[in-house]
Amino acid sequence: MYRFESDFDRKLTILMIDDLNNRFGLGDQLVFSPHPSGLVRGVVKSKACTGEFFLLGAHVSAFQPTDQTGPLLFMSSKSVYQVGQPIRGGVPICFPWFGANKADSQAPGHGLARIRVWEIAKTERKGDTISVMLETTIDQLNLAYTLAFGTQLDLSLAITNVGDHARECEAALHTYFQLSDVREVRVFGLETLGYLDTLTHKTMPATGQAIRFTEETDRIYSGEVASIAIEDPGFARNIEIRPRNSRSTVVWNPWVAKSIRMPDFGDDEYLRMCCIETANVGLNRISLAVGQQQSIAVSISTRNHCE
Ligand code: BG6
């Protein structure tokens, strides 16, 4: 049952979806349809995987390779689906700032990219991979975001300064991963990097240890890594995250008290997720000369422990 504000909205959405399917649908492998909230989403179903994304925020909300029995991305059952508000889970894009806006405390947290509706530029099928390019321009910074749903999920965000002066910005692919139990997982790959603890505002040295979650965790690691792995014994799988052009990695779990404080997140949902965010934020923010382009990208895949 779809929920529309008015009959006019309903007709407009259906016309828009017909138009999207005509121009960008790829048979039954990429179909646009209304989400129960009335938001427009693209649904991917190929030999390689299933997936889903919203035009709101160019938000990837689902990805599951065909050989997996469960999703790789966590979505909150309490998420709001409304233009102007972020979707909780999947992969929100934080841009052009991360966290609170330093100059304007009223500005939305994590920027504007995740709360606005993007345009589709192109869709393409290559073998069993379905690719979608979405675009938007925020304050003279053009964003071209390519989602490739195959046996792995490849996300690549190209940022181009189309304005007339040099710019700085922050960007994060704020990925929520689905876990069996956050208390049992270990995250490998960041042990040689120092980090800023966002909770204490202290800069911490490298620990030399895999990350384990035992309390609220909110860290910004600094430095490039080729690969990060989430070892999840409960699901007998590793999730592999391969960032590119990313000089920051944010690791977040809200734990008990913050989960209760967040209205769009279930009180116990912190147990089934963690965020490992491919990012360029803070001291590692992006500088762009006029006309310059930079991209940030991540590939996400999984391997079962018995393989
Ligand atoms: C993380 C931040 O990236 O996002 C956390 O490090 C923040 O501090 C979290 O709480 C969620 O942010 P939001 O705006 O989606 O509630």
Side-chain angles (χ1 to χ4, degrees):
M1 187 64 172
Y2 309 136
R3 185 162 45 80
F4 294 102
E5 291 288 306
S6 66
D7 201 40
F8 179 74
D9 277 354
R10 188 180 63 82
K11 283 188 184 139
L12 209 63
T13 306
I14 287 168
L15 275 177
M16 185 180 164
I17 285 173
D18 284 348
D19 180 53
L20 285 173
N21 277 319
N22 288 336
R23 289 163 61 207
F24 299 113
L26 297 171
D28 54 5
Q29 298 189 32
L30 172 60
V31 177
F32 292 90
S33 67
H35 179 261
S37 60
L39 293 181
V40 178
R41 63 179 168 179
V43 178
V44 174
K45 201 167 191 317
S46 73
K47 256 200 204 155
C49 70
T50 54
E52 185 189 66
F53 61 94
F54 285 80
L55 301 194
L56 171 62
H59 190 111
V60 176
S61 49
F63 174 64
Q64 183 174 327
T66 310
D67 64 357
Q68 290 297 302
T69 50
L72 265 65
L73 301 177
F74 164 87
M75 282 294 291
S76 171
S77 62
K78 299 276 194 266
S79 179
V80 175
Y81 294 88
Q82 205 174 306
V83 176
Q85 294 210 39
I87 294 171
R88 177 73 68 194
V91 192
I93 298 174
C94 307
F95 181 89
W97 61 88
F98 180 81
N101 184 303
K102 312 284 175 292
D104 177 2
S105 60
Q106 301 301 307
H110 285 331
L112 303 171
R114 66 178 183 164
I115 56 172
R116 64 156 57 187
V117 175
W118 291 48
E119 302 276 330
I120 302 220
K122 195 166 97 179
T123 59
E124 190 175 63
R125 177 178 33 214
K126 265 202 198 140
D128 293 328
T129 299
I130 300 293
S131 299
V132 181
M133 194 201 273
L134 295 129
E135 275 187 343
T136 196
T137 301
I138 297 176
D139 195 16
Q140 302 198 309
L141 294 169
N142 177 263
L143 301 181
Y145 188 37
T146 306
L147 326 174
F149 294 91
T151 51
Q152 60 180 34
L153 176 66
D154 294 314
L155 305 175
S156 175
L157 178 70
I159 307 159
T160 310
N161 180 358
V162 293
D164 56 9
H165 58 282
R167 297 289 299 279
E168 289 194 331
C169 57
E170 295 177 298
L173 304 174
H174 188 310
T175 313
Y176 288 72
F177 291 101
Q178 178 80 49
L179 307 177
S180 60
D181 184 337
V182 73
R183 296 165 298 188
E184 303 300 326
V185 306
R186 286 188 298 174
V187 178
F188 294 91
L190 297 165
E191 42 281 71
T192 59
L193 302 181
Y195 64 90
L196 172 70
D197 188 324
T198 309
L199 301 172
T200 61
H201 306 289
K202 286 194 181 137
T203 304
M204 305 298 288
T207 63
Q209 310 263 315
I211 299 167
R212 294 204 83 128
F213 295 92
T214 55
E215 58 185 347
E216 182 178 351
T217 304
D218 199 347
R219 300 177 179 177
I220 305 178
Y221 286 83
S222 190
E224 291 196 38
V225 289
S227 163
I228 300 167
I230 307 175
E231 181 193 67
D232 187 337
F235 283 159
R237 72 180 183 191
N238 277 16
I239 293 179
E240 289 171 11
I241 304 158
R242 291 182 305 286
R244 289 183 298 286
N245 300 332
S246 159
R247 299 176 296 279
S248 317
T249 305
V250 183
V251 177
W252 179 60
N253 182 284
W255 217 250
V256 180
K258 190 161 185 177
S259 295
I260 295 170
R261 286 201 304 276
M262 294 195 300
D264 59 346
F265 191 79
D267 292 357
D268 292 339
E269 285 186 332
Y270 75 94
L271 288 169
R272 293 186 288 283
M273 54 71 70
C274 74
C275 289
I276 309 286
E277 308 169 33
T278 299
N280 284 317
V281 300
L283 294 175
N284 296 324
R285 65 187 168 272
I286 296 166
S287 299
L288 289 169
V290 174
Q292 197 189 350
Q293 180 180 91
Q294 280 190 41
S295 62
I296 175 166
V298 66
S299 297
I300 295 163
S301 58
T302 188
R303 203 157 37 82
N304 293 334
H305 286 169
C306 52
E307 281 170 7

